[in-house]
Amino acid sequence: MSYYRNFKASKLHAHCESCYSRRCRAPVEISVSCVIISCRALCGATFHLCKEEEHTLLCPNEKVPCLNAQFGCPFRMCRSKQAKHLEVCPASVICCSMEWNRWPLEDIQNDFYINLLKDDKEGEALDLSMAIRDQRYLCNRIKMKSLFPELVEEDDEPLPPEEEEGAVGGKPYSNGAEVNGGSDYPFGKGPTPATQKENIQEEKVAAAEERTLDRDKYDRYEMMFSMERGGCKQASIQNQDDKTDSKGSSKESEQNAVGGSVGHAPWQRGVLERVGQDMTAQEYNMYIVHNGRMLISFGQMAACTPREKDFVYGNLEPIPVMTLYNYKPPISYRGKRIHKKDYSKIPDTEHKYTDTSDLGLSEEDIHVTDEMYATLLCCAEKEVRGHKICETVGIDGNFVDIATQTYSYPTAPFQPDTSLADITADKELKLYVQTVTESITSRHDTTSCTFTFRCGHPFRRDEYPYHYKNVHADIQFSLEGWFEQRCPLAYLGCTYVRKNICPLAQKATISYHQNLSTFSLKPQVCGPVITTGEPGPPQAKQAKYEDSLGNLPYEVLCHIASFLDCFTLSQLALVSQLFRDVCATHLQERGMVSLKWRKKSYSHGGSRWKCSKVWEFSNLFSKVDRWCLGDEPSMSDHLKVCPFYQREMKTERIAVMLKDWKKNQVN
């Protein structure tokens, strides 16, 4: 801004440059002063005519683009409204950073977890749906090479280069509202022949840029070095002129003018000797660090140590290595309870390698370890205790825990890029993680924990508070007995769940989408939407009326879509091209835009990162301000018919001490 003002100041008149009076009555003269005018945007400011361009930089009523215009916001507004616009700006996107931990099960053969997958096939239980989603992400995250490198095949051939994903939003969002082809327009189409020609032209330009030097940088460096060298030469000449006037110094001044043997410039002869004499050791080291490359270029110092100056070992004599056990436990040391025993009574032990064959069992009788359960157990041990199960760890100053643990993996050996999801892809779905989550933990570092999950959904700035309140505060962290209530006999295997809370204003229930990893409101429909009295099979009636909504006028459809929430709009856009165009009309008002980066490789071997603007809807459902208790039957009604609720009837008589009771009554 200061550079722009200095550049424009030369165009101001002599009087106008220092005049700030709104009632200036100076006469209009050429190159001296000009007429007084008011702001064309009606902001109330009054100034000279030559300052009009400068006033546009500060005028509050001037139309300017949004502060996030480079990130895709298409709106223009008055400068005074820029701050308020940021609250609803489509390019002001926030990524939810809410995290939670979900640990593996200790007993996967529990009746409750086995019955849970059998009875809840429709996914109505929210805690189970979230657990299955987190388990799927967990399997994709765990790589077998990091846990069991000894079970991975060595691949000598290099892997083919995979397609690079975007740095921001590289994974396409699942709501289907992302643009195709990287177009700047919402819901754009694929590449055209014109764009293919542009890509070929870009390849040629990128190849030409890689083959050429950066002339701007070269010219700047050359100018900088030439100016410094010219200044040194001028200083040497001036020094020569001063010393020729004095007697007995003409010879010395001649050497200074010709050879430049004074000063600390890197190109002068003997500069290292003078620097070593004039500077301290710390200053000398800093001089070498900053000017080392120039000293090497001008031949003042060698780039590497010459071979004749290398240090060479002479005759080496073997030195015996002695191990000294001089560790003494401190006086305040107190041994653990398991180590407080009489070591004289401990039987003699020896280290010996054992194998499964030493048990004397056949291969059929040997229990096959569940691969997924064993892998999660190793990961949990590493996260909680900080090391693997089969790793030797020192317990304290006197004892070392030499632990070994082996597992049999039928699918071993693994490929280098094998994940846990690849091993369990063809197996029956089982639950290996807990249905209960924890949001705060102090046992490990959550930044690199395998069992830490993050929400990660993007939202507009004005949508994020409602997402956090409804999804995380009201629903997710209230599932354990408040939002959903399970049968008290769940530890025996009962899978009954009761939803205690429902929205007050909307007649809907909460459902969870595993593929989209988000909650949504499911409206309660009393009966079929289409009711006709025409005879015929139901399939024919449904086929006849299934596109009745699409037959409405385009304006009516746009008006109906304005009442839908963002999550519903994102799903409606997947129905057909017509509804996709209808939803596109609400993108700038309800949607959000972000930059998606992709690495593009060219035929000549080079690559370049390119970004495209992506318009989409968030996963925010309708805002729920208040909740109320549901009208489902109470838990006591379920216990009357619960199959796991078994009454124990006592028929035998029990002796009662009546004497003591009578004495108490008398007293």
Side-chain angles (χ1 to χ4, degrees):
M1 186 67 70
S2 60
Y3 173 79
Y4 186 83
R5 288 179 180 175
N6 295 335
F7 180 78
K8 292 293 184 181
S10 60
K11 295 185 179 181
L12 299 180
H13 300 109
H15 168 76
C16 302
E17 185 175 358
S18 59
C19 179
Y20 301 99
S21 176
R22 301 182 60 182
R23 299 176 179 85
C24 179
R25 297 183 180 182
V28 178
E29 299 181 10
I30 300 176
S31 71
V32 177
S33 63
C34 59
V35 67
I36 293 288
I37 64 172
S38 299
C39 177
R40 302 177 187 272
L42 304 178
C43 71
T46 304
F47 44 82
H48 285 275
L49 179 61
C50 58
K51 295 183 178 180
E52 186 175 14
E53 294 185 7
E54 183 179 356
H55 175 72
T56 56
L57 302 177
L58 303 173
C59 180
N61 293 345
E62 184 71 20
K63 294 289 185 179
V64 293
C66 175
L67 297 176
N68 293 324
Q70 296 181 352
F71 300 101
C73 182
F75 294 103
R76 294 178 62 88
M77 67 214 70
C78 296
R79 182 177 282 109
S80 59
K81 298 182 180 179
Q82 280 185 318
K84 189 172 184 59
H85 167 72
L86 291 178
E87 299 178 1
V88 294
C89 178
S92 184
V93 180
I94 298 178
C95 187
C96 182
S97 59
M98 188 64 199
E99 294 181 347
W100 62 90
N101 302 318
R102 193 182 297 274
W103 297 98
L105 292 174
E106 298 179 359
D107 183 14
I108 60 176
Q109 301 299 332
N110 192 305
D111 295 337
F112 170 70
Y113 298 106
I114 295 176
N115 299 337
L116 200 60
L117 293 175
K118 294 180 180 179
D119 299 342
D120 191 28
K121 296 182 180 180
E122 297 181 359
E124 295 182 356
L126 301 180
D127 54 353
L128 177 61
S129 300
M130 290 192 63
I132 295 177
R133 176 262 181 193
D134 291 347
Q135 178 176 305
R136 184 175 68 252
Y137 274 67
L138 183 64
C139 294
N140 295 326
R141 182 186 303 175
I142 297 177
K143 301 296 182 181
M144 304 304 295
K145 185 177 181 179
S146 60
L147 289 176
F148 309 103
E150 66 278 359
L151 300 180
V152 178
E153 293 181 349
E154 296 182 359
D155 191 5
D156 299 335
E157 299 181 359
L159 296 176
E162 298 180 356
E163 183 180 357
E164 296 281 349
E165 292 186 350
V168 178
K171 184 178 178 181
Y173 293 110
S174 303
N175 57 11
E178 183 180 346
V179 298
N180 299 326
S183 174
D184 289 349
Y185 299 98
F187 299 89
K189 298 182 180 179
T192 60
T195 57
Q196 295 178 359
K197 293 181 180 180
E198 294 178 0
N199 295 338
I200 297 175
Q201 187 67 20
E202 289 179 0
E203 292 184 7
K204 294 181 180 180
V205 174
E209 290 180 356
E210 292 184 359
R211 290 193 299 266
T212 59
L213 293 173
D214 193 346
R215 295 294 303 178
D216 295 338
K217 291 184 179 180
Y218 179 78
D219 294 340
R220 286 197 299 268
Y221 294 155
E222 189 68 22
M223 181 181 63
M224 180 179 62
F225 294 146
S226 62
M227 291 175 62
E228 291 183 0
R229 191 166 187 176
C232 293
K233 287 183 179 180
Q234 187 67 25
S236 300
I237 295 173
Q238 184 68 26
N239 192 14
Q240 179 184 1
D241 296 339
D242 295 341
K243 290 186 178 181
T244 51
D245 296 339
S246 59
K247 296 180 180 181
S249 62
S250 60
K251 185 176 180 180
E252 183 180 359
S253 63
E254 183 180 356
Q255 292 178 357
N256 295 339
V258 177
S261 57
V262 295
H264 298 157
W267 48 79
Q268 294 178 342
R269 293 194 302 269
V271 62
L272 292 180
E273 290 78 3
R274 291 192 299 275
V275 170
Q277 296 176 1
D278 300 343
M279 297 183 180
T280 61
Q282 184 178 4
E283 294 174 348
Y284 179 82
N285 293 334
M286 294 300 297
Y287 180 85
I288 296 298
V289 170
H290 291 291
N291 303 289
R293 183 171 297 179
M294 296 182 64
L295 292 172
I296 295 173
S297 301
F298 290 106
Q300 300 291 349
M301 59 183 297
C304 57
T305 307
R307 183 180 295 274
E308 57 272 9
K309 294 184 179 181
D310 284 343
F311 177 77
V312 181
Y313 287 97
N315 297 328
L316 300 179
E317 297 180 359
I319 300 176
V321 180
M322 301 177 63
T323 304
L324 301 178
Y325 297 95
N326 56 358
Y327 173 77
K328 295 181 179 180
I331 301 176
S332 60
Y333 171 76
R334 295 182 179 180
K336 294 185 178 181
R337 181 174 297 180
I338 58 174
H339 301 142
K340 289 183 178 180
K341 49 189 175 183
D342 188 2
Y343 293 97
S344 61
K345 299 181 181 179
I346 298 178
D348 296 335
T349 59
E350 61 178 350
H351 294 284
K352 184 178 181 181
Y353 293 98
T354 60
D355 190 57
T356 312
S357 59
D358 298 339
L359 299 176
L361 301 175
S362 60
E363 297 182 358
E364 298 178 355
D365 298 335
I366 297 177
H367 175 68
V368 179
T369 307
D370 193 331
E371 296 176 338
M372 187 169 179
Y373 176 73
T375 305
L376 294 181
L377 183 63
C378 293
C379 291
E381 181 76 10
K382 184 178 179 180
E383 296 295 339
V384 176
R385 303 192 61 181
H387 62 85
K388 298 180 181 179
I389 297 179
C390 56
E391 183 178 352
T392 301
V393 180
I395 300 178
D396 50 26
N398 294 334
F399 300 95
V400 177
D401 186 6
I402 303 177
T404 57
Q405 184 73 30
T406 58
Y407 297 102
S408 58
Y409 284 87
T411 56
F414 308 116
Q415 297 295 329
D417 57 342
T418 302
S419 62
L420 185 58
D422 300 333
I423 301 176
T424 60
D426 301 334
K427 296 184 179 180
E428 184 182 0
L429 179 61
K430 292 183 179 180
L431 190 61
Y432 293 91
V433 295
Q434 300 177 4
T435 57
V436 180
T437 60
E438 61 178 13
S439 58
I440 300 175
T441 180
S442 60
R443 291 183 290 178
H444 66 290
D445 184 12
T446 58
T447 57
S448 60
C449 179
T450 308
F451 301 95
T452 299
F453 303 90
R454 179 175 295 179
C455 178
H457 287 295
F459 297 93
R460 288 168 43 141
R461 187 173 295 273
D462 58 336
E463 296 176 348
Y464 178 73
Y466 296 97
H467 161 75
Y468 184 87
K469 176 182 179 299
N470 292 148
V471 174
H472 299 301
D474 295 342
I475 300 178
Q476 182 177 355
F477 298 116
S478 300
L479 291 177
E480 305 168 12
W482 179 242
F483 202 89
E484 284 187 347
Q485 182 182 6
R486 290 199 171 273
C487 178
L489 303 178
Y491 68 96
L492 297 177
C494 182
T495 60
Y496 176 77
V497 59
R498 178 181 182 271
K499 294 185 178 181
N500 295 331
I501 302 176
C502 62
L504 179 61
Q506 300 93 340
K507 293 183 178 180
T509 58
I510 302 296
S511 61
Y512 185 79
H513 299 267
Q514 298 182 16
N515 297 331
L516 305 179
S517 303
T518 183
F519 291 91
S520 66
L521 288 179
K522 184 178 180 181
Q524 296 179 356
V525 182
C526 300
V529 179
I530 302 174
T531 57
T532 60
E534 300 179 3
Q539 293 80 5
K541 297 180 183 179
Q542 183 178 2
K544 181 179 180 181
Y545 293 97
E546 63 180 357
D547 198 21
S548 59
L549 185 62
N551 295 331
L552 295 175
Y554 182 79
E555 293 77 7
V556 177
L557 293 177
C558 294
H559 181 69
I560 295 175
S562 63
F563 296 96
L564 302 178
D565 54 29
C566 295
F567 177 75
T568 307
L569 287 174
S570 65
Q571 300 304 307
L572 182 63
L574 303 176
V575 176
S576 63
Q577 184 64 36
L578 173 62
F579 290 105
R580 186 177 180 87
D581 297 337
V582 170
C583 296
T585 59
H586 301 280
L587 268 176
Q588 293 188 358
E589 181 183 359
R590 307 278 299 280
M592 56 185 179
V593 59
S594 59
L595 298 180
K596 180 177 181 180
W597 291 86
R598 286 174 180 164
K599 188 175 182 181
K600 187 173 183 180
S601 302
Y602 298 99
S603 57
H604 57 78
S607 60
R608 175 182 294 181
W609 285 95
K610 296 187 63 178
C611 68
S612 58
K613 299 173 184 177
V614 179
W615 284 88
E616 60 186 349
F617 293 103
S618 65
N619 291 331
L620 182 71
F621 55 83
S622 299
K623 305 170 186 177
V624 180
D625 297 328
R626 298 181 62 184
W627 303 84
C628 64
L629 296 177
D631 54 354
E632 294 188 5
S634 62
M635 189 59 65
S636 60
D637 296 336
H638 162 71
L639 290 176
K640 297 178 181 179
V641 295
C642 180
F644 296 89
Y645 185 60
Q646 299 179 0
R647 299 181 179 180
E648 185 177 356
M649 304 298 294
K650 297 294 184 179
T651 57
E652 298 181 359
R653 295 183 177 182
I654 300 175
V656 179
M657 302 299 295
L658 298 178
K659 294 182 180 180
D660 297 338
W661 179 76
K662 290 182 178 179
K663 291 181 179 180
N664 294 333
Q665 291 291 332
V666 172
N667 296 331

